[in-house]
Amino acid sequence: MHPVICGTMRSAYLLLFILVFNLSPSKGKINDTLKIYSYSQLKEKFYDYVGNDKISNANVISKYYLQKAKNEKNTTEITEGYVLRHFNLDLQNALKYIDSISIYKKNLDQKIYPARIYLLRGNLYLRHDNLKLAFENYMLGLKYAKEKNNERQIAIANISVAYLNNYIGKHAEAAKILRFYLYHGNYFNEAEQGRIHYNLADTYIEINKMDSAKTLIQEGVQAALKNKNSYKYNQYLFLDGFYNLKLNKYDIAIEKLLKCKEFFAKNENDLNISYTLLNLGKAYDGLKNKDKAAENFIAIDSIEQKSNNTFPELRDIYTYLIDYYKEKNNKEKQLYYIERFLKVDKLLDSQFKYISRELPRRYDTPQLLKEKENIINDLQNRKKILYISISILFIGLLVLLYLYKKSKNSEKRHREIAQKLIHSIEEKNNAFTEPEPNVVITEISDKKIPFNQIESKSKSIPEDVVQFILKGLENFETKQQFLKKGITLSSLAKTLKTNSAYLSDVINTYKEKNFASYLNDLRINYALTRLVHDKKFRSYKLSVISEELGYNNEQAFSIAFKKKTGTTLSIYIKEVEKSHNQN
């Protein structure tokens, strides 16, 4: 029985970030003359062709771009030309172009350089299967990006490390980084976001988050169809095949992967063809079709010998073929694939051990220490906030305690005032008796002065007029006409058959208050007495009581009552009830 091939690690290779800023894909074919395009338009076209795997068109643009920049002696654009030219070249020639950038770096944006050079080298070494140097350059790029606080470059370095995590099987860690930058990646253009999207879908399949993977695959297929991007469409079609393979739906997987195989076979240097053949072989193995499985795995070995692109799953491919030919008793083939296995295993083991050792030590540990520092700072800030909150709460409690005590003291004082008023009224017990003849009420306390004891205090009003007005006021008070609503100085003067000026002068002189206070005192005095003696009146709603006393609304009555008596109406009524219950 042959072993089943383990999961793919191709995410480490598929998303190679291009450190070019403010790009957006463009459409259309290369114009016969490129002179009409600006540098930014040429770059847009270049990356559009790279994204659609139209390498020859991209090479034409990169050559023209660099030559144009050199002719114009434009230092900035010369370095951009070197960046464009290094793509799709062999390692040594590509390195020459990247190293040429260093000549001009003093004249370039210091926030971007030298981190950009190291990140470009990291991508280049990764594409050429040298993970050790890729990792070294990513770490240097990350170091300089952090020094310059370049968030985009920091993000690129972090994502590059995510691919290396995929390489050593730490898919969950890779997914965490990819997921973060997919949904918080304001540093990336649309094409770069698309690559993160694709690789996250692939990583989700690796960690069996199948629902999440399916959602991303469907989104990717729809976007590729909308943009008429056949390369992207086949990439997501491949993921769909991989997805069905994971679910053991081998027939569906084979159907989709065969379509991808036809598309990707055009470029053997593209790792997509190797991974397509890998999953086809696994699907056929799942259907117990060992010959078909071996056929696809043999094709992978043939591609690997030409491209020298190794990947971890090669070990499983060779062990499968060794067992396959062992069953067929083909010792020559068996020996051949043993030798192939030993050669690839040595290289993979060297890279795996290095990345497995260095990545946690030089990337994970510093990240964790930084995270630890952030957590400690966060906890310290939370403690400060907690202490401040406790202090505010304590002060608030003191204020509430003070207000509560003040309220209780105020309530006690109001009760004492109410009790004195009630006691005073009960002692007199003459609230509704007719006043003695020739007596005028001059105060709310019912202090009465006989007419024969009144001396004229007004020099401007004849004495007989004063006596006439006082007699009228006595009648006004006795008949409780002050309870009528809408009484004014003018209306009362008219009722008393005098003028407003005389009436106002007499009230100010003999009652020692203005008309409004005089009227209000009569009403409050009446309320105090009636509330003591009339149980039914006490049961009325405040609105009814205020209406009977001649006030326009209950609020005006409540304010007037407290202002005059020093206590509230509710406390006064409660004390009246308590007094009656005790009696």
Side-chain angles (χ1 to χ4, degrees), residues 287-549:
L287 293 176
K288 310 301 181 184
N289 191 337
K290 295 180 180 180
D291 292 338
K292 277 286 188 181
E295 177 185 324
N296 284 279
F297 294 154
I298 291 168
I300 293 173
D301 174 62
S302 175
I303 292 171
E304 195 280 329
Q305 289 190 68
K306 295 177 184 177
S307 64
N308 291 317
N309 286 328
T310 60
F311 48 93
E313 291 84 356
L314 280 173
R315 287 191 181 96
D316 302 297
I317 290 172
Y318 289 129
T319 55
Y320 188 97
L321 291 173
I322 290 167
D323 289 342
Y324 174 77
Y325 283 109
K326 184 178 181 179
E327 287 183 0
K328 291 185 173 298
N329 199 27
N330 188 331
K331 295 189 181 296
E332 289 183 358
K333 290 288 186 182
Q334 190 178 348
L335 179 61
Y336 169 81
Y337 287 113
I338 288 173
E339 290 175 349
R340 292 290 297 145
F341 172 85
L342 292 174
K343 179 181 178 180
V344 169
D345 182 67
K346 183 179 180 180
L347 175 61
L348 290 173
D349 189 56
S350 172
Q351 297 201 126
F352 185 89
K353 285 180 178 179
Y354 180 82
I355 299 300
S356 297
R357 181 183 71 248
E358 294 299 315
L359 193 149
R361 182 176 70 85
R362 295 170 59 187
Y363 179 83
D364 292 346
T365 300
Q367 292 288 97
L368 287 173
L369 290 174
K370 181 65 176 176
E371 188 174 341
K372 177 184 176 182
E373 182 183 343
N374 291 338
I375 291 172
I376 290 172
N377 291 334
D378 184 53
L379 289 174
Q380 289 176 343
N381 290 333
R382 288 186 183 184
K383 282 183 180 180
K384 290 179 182 177
I385 293 171
L386 178 62
Y387 293 148
I388 293 171
S389 299
I390 291 173
S391 300
I392 293 172
L393 180 61
F394 181 71
I395 293 170
L397 288 173
L398 289 178
V399 171
L400 288 175
L401 184 61
Y402 168 76
L403 293 175
Y404 175 76
K405 188 175 180 180
K406 185 179 179 181
S407 174
K408 284 297 180 181
N409 290 336
S410 177
E411 184 180 344
K412 182 181 179 182
R413 187 173 68 254
H414 289 165
R415 285 201 307 270
E416 289 173 350
I417 294 171
Q419 289 165 4
K420 288 179 181 179
L421 287 169
I422 295 165
H423 181 68
S424 174
I425 291 169
E426 287 177 340
E427 276 189 340
K428 293 179 182 179
N429 198 22
N430 61 354
F432 293 101
T433 59
E434 291 293 330
E436 299 174 12
N438 302 320
V439 171
V440 61
I441 302 174
T442 59
E443 294 292 343
I444 195 168
S445 60
D446 289 342
K447 180 182 178 182
K448 300 175 181 178
I449 305 174
F451 277 117
N452 56 14
Q453 295 180 16
I454 296 176
E455 296 180 0
S456 179
K457 298 179 182 179
S458 177
K459 296 179 179 180
S460 61
I461 306 174
E463 187 175 341
D464 59 333
V465 175
V466 171
Q467 294 294 334
F468 176 78
I469 292 173
L470 288 173
K471 184 66 177 177
L473 289 174
E474 177 190 357
N475 186 58
F476 173 72
E477 295 168 11
T478 302
K479 292 183 179 181
Q480 300 170 358
Q481 293 174 350
F482 52 79
L483 298 177
K484 292 181 180 179
K485 187 179 287 189
I487 297 173
T488 63
L489 180 66
S490 177
S491 67
L492 181 56
K494 189 175 182 180
T495 301
L496 299 181
K497 298 181 180 180
T498 184
N499 62 56
S500 299
Y502 281 179
L503 178 58
S504 177
D505 192 8
V506 169
I507 291 173
N508 285 323
T509 303
Y510 292 92
K511 304 299 182 179
E512 297 179 351
K513 61 192 76 174
N514 60 34
F515 174 74
S517 297
Y518 167 69
L519 181 63
N520 191 63
D521 288 350
L522 289 172
R523 289 172 172 174
I524 299 301
N525 187 55
Y526 173 85
L528 288 169
T529 305
R530 188 172 175 186
L531 286 168
V532 170
H533 295 291
D534 190 345
K535 183 176 182 180
K536 185 178 180 182
F537 188 64
R538 290 196 301 272
S539 68
Y540 290 166
K541 291 182 178 180
L542 179 57
S543 59
V544 176
I545 294 175
S546 61
E547 181 79 18
E548 285 208 14
L549 295 175

Side-chain angles (χ1 to χ4, degrees), residues 8-12 15 155 158-182 196 199-204 206-207 209 359 363-364:
T8 176
M9 302 261 188
R10 98 193 165 286
S11 294
L15 180 55
N158 285 334
I159 289 175
S160 300
V161 170
Y163 306 144
L164 296 178
N165 270 322
N166 264 335
Y167 179 83
I168 61 176
K170 296 172 69 174
H171 302 299
E173 288 84 345
K176 181 180 178 181
I177 297 173
L178 293 171
R179 181 169 54 248
F180 174 82
Y181 284 112
L182 178 62
I196 297 173
N199 281 270
L200 179 58
D202 177 66
T203 307
Y204 275 152
E206 292 285 4
I207 59 178
K209 295 189 73 169
L359 193 149
Y363 179 83
D364 292 346

Side-chain angles (χ1 to χ4, degrees), residues 551-579:
Y551 287 97
N552 292 326
N553 55 68
E554 56 189 79
Q555 185 180 12
F557 171 51
S558 297
I559 293 171
F561 187 91
K562 185 176 181 183
K563 182 179 179 182
K564 184 60 187 175
T565 64
T567 187
T568 64
L569 181 63
S570 60
I571 289 178
Y572 182 77
I573 292 174
K574 286 179 183 179
E575 291 303 315
V576 170
E577 291 290 350
K578 190 186 295 183
S579 175

